[in-house]
Amino acid sequence: MDAVKPSDEPVIRLEHVEAGYPGRTILRDVTFDVRRGEIFALLGGSGCGKSTILKHMIGLNPVLGGRLTLAGQEWTRKTRASLCRKIGVMYQSGALFGSMTCLENVLLPLEEFSRLGRTARRARALELLADVELADAADRMPGEISGGMKKRVAIARAMALEPEVVFLDEPSAGLDPITSAALDGLILRLRREKGMTFVVVTHELPSVFAIADRCAMFDKARGRMIALGAPAALRDGSRDDFVRKFFGRGTVNGK
C-alpha cells in the first residue's frame, strides 16, 4: 500500500440497501460508504452478490430497497443520465471495441459526451493513454495487444470524462502474477497522482492487500454483508470464521 490518506468525505453511500433483482433478493441491509480518494474492494465467494452490488452502484439496476447515493445524489430514473457521467467502468474483459484502435476506444466517450473540439479530444485521449503507459499503442487494435494492455486501455477509457469514481470489475482476472502486480501499481499511481477513487470487485488476495484501503465482504449463505474494514484488520482481527477462512485461503488455525 502507498501512504495516501483518503478523505473522510463519502462519495458513495449505501444505506440499508436491499440488493438483487425483481422477485429475487440476494443481499439485505447493506450499509457502507466509499470515501473520496479511497480504493475500496468488494469481496466474497462466488455468487455472494458483489457483482450485483456493483450493478446497483453504477446504475445498471435500481436497488430493491434502501438508498444509494453518488456525490450526494440518489440514483433514480430522473438522475441516472447525469450520474452515469460521473462514473467510469472497466469491465472484466476490458470490453474494447475490436474494430477500433486503442485511441478510438478511448476517444469514444469524449466524442459522445464531451464538448471538447476534435483536436482537444484527441489530445485528451492521448494523454489518458500516456497515463496508463500505452502512448505507443494508440494506433494498435485490441487484437494486437496483450490482456494486461487491454485492461489499461479500458481504464484509460473509464477515466475519459474525469469521473467521480472508477469501478474496476475483476481487473486482475486472467493476468499472470507479474502483469497483475504491475496493474496494481498503476491503480495506486493513478490514485496518488490524480486523487482518484476506485471501487474494485476482486477475489485476488494479493491485489486486495496491495491496493485496498478498506473492503466490504459479503456472504451468500447469510445474504448480507459480514465484514467491513481494512484487509489486514479483517484478516488478523475478525471473529467470523468465514472471514478468517477467506483471508487464510480456506484455513483457520491450520485446518
Side-chain angles (χ1 to χ4, degrees):
M1 276 295 299
D2 58 358
V4 174
K5 187 179 186 303
S7 164
D8 291 330
E9 175 192 359
V11 65
I12 300 174
R13 173 163 283 172
L14 286 78
E15 300 173 87
H16 307 291
V17 163
E18 184 175 333
Y21 308 90
R24 183 188 173 207
T25 298
I26 294 175
L27 295 167
R28 300 182 184 276
D29 199 26
V30 177
T31 297
F32 64 82
D33 292 338
V34 177
R35 300 162 187 163
R36 193 171 298 279
E38 183 172 40
I39 301 175
F40 190 95
L42 304 177
L43 308 178
S46 298
C48 71
K50 55 186 182 293
S51 293
T52 301
I53 284 287
L54 177 70
K55 290 176 182 177
H56 292 319
M57 293 173 79
I58 64 177
L60 279 180
N61 297 328
V63 298
L64 302 181
R67 190 166 185 261
L68 197 164
T69 59
L70 169 66
Q73 282 188 286
E74 185 172 2
W75 276 106
T76 66
R77 288 189 177 183
K78 290 183 178 180
T79 63
R80 188 174 184 273
S82 62
L83 287 180
C84 278
R85 298 190 186 189
K86 295 185 178 183
I87 65 171
V89 183
M90 188 218 79
Y91 295 98
Q92 181 172 337
S93 65
L96 301 180
F97 291 95
S99 61
M100 302 168 68
T101 66
C102 293
L103 178 61
E104 289 169 339
N105 269 279
V106 178
L107 272 170
L108 187 59
L110 294 167
E111 292 173 340
E112 292 292 325
F113 300 111
S114 80
R115 297 181 180 179
L116 297 174
R118 182 177 179 180
T119 300
R121 291 197 303 267
R122 181 179 174 85
R124 169 69 177 154
L126 288 170
E127 177 186 356
L128 288 163
L129 285 172
D131 284 339
V132 298
E133 301 170 356
L134 284 179
D136 59 350
D139 295 325
R140 296 169 70 180
M141 307 297 285
E144 300 173 341
I145 61 177
S146 69
M149 293 169 73
K150 290 177 184 176
K151 302 283 181 97
R152 288 172 179 257
V153 175
I155 291 174
R157 185 177 62 185
M159 292 164 42
L161 299 178
E162 299 182 353
E164 298 271 352
V165 186
V166 173
F167 293 86
L168 307 176
D169 186 10
E170 297 284 5
S172 298
L175 302 182
D176 65 81
I178 295 174
T179 303
S180 180
L183 190 61
D184 290 342
L186 171 66
I187 294 167
L188 289 171
R189 179 172 62 77
L190 291 172
R191 190 267 293 270
R192 183 174 63 251
E193 295 179 356
K194 299 181 178 296
M196 301 196 68
T197 304
F198 289 98
V199 174
V200 185
V201 174
T202 185
H203 63 276
E204 299 286 345
L205 287 180
S207 290
V208 172
F209 285 106
I211 67 174
D213 298 293
R214 291 188 305 143
C215 54
M217 181 175 291
F218 308 97
D219 181 26
K220 179 180 180 180
R222 285 174 275 185
R224 62 181 177 86
M225 185 176 77
I226 59 171
L228 177 67
L234 297 183
R235 177 195 61 199
D236 300 335
S238 177
R239 297 182 179 181
D240 187 287
D241 279 350
F242 182 86
V243 175
R244 289 185 293 148
K245 284 182 179 179
F246 186 92
F247 282 106
R249 297 176 67 89
T251 63
V252 176
N253 295 327
K255 298 180 181 180

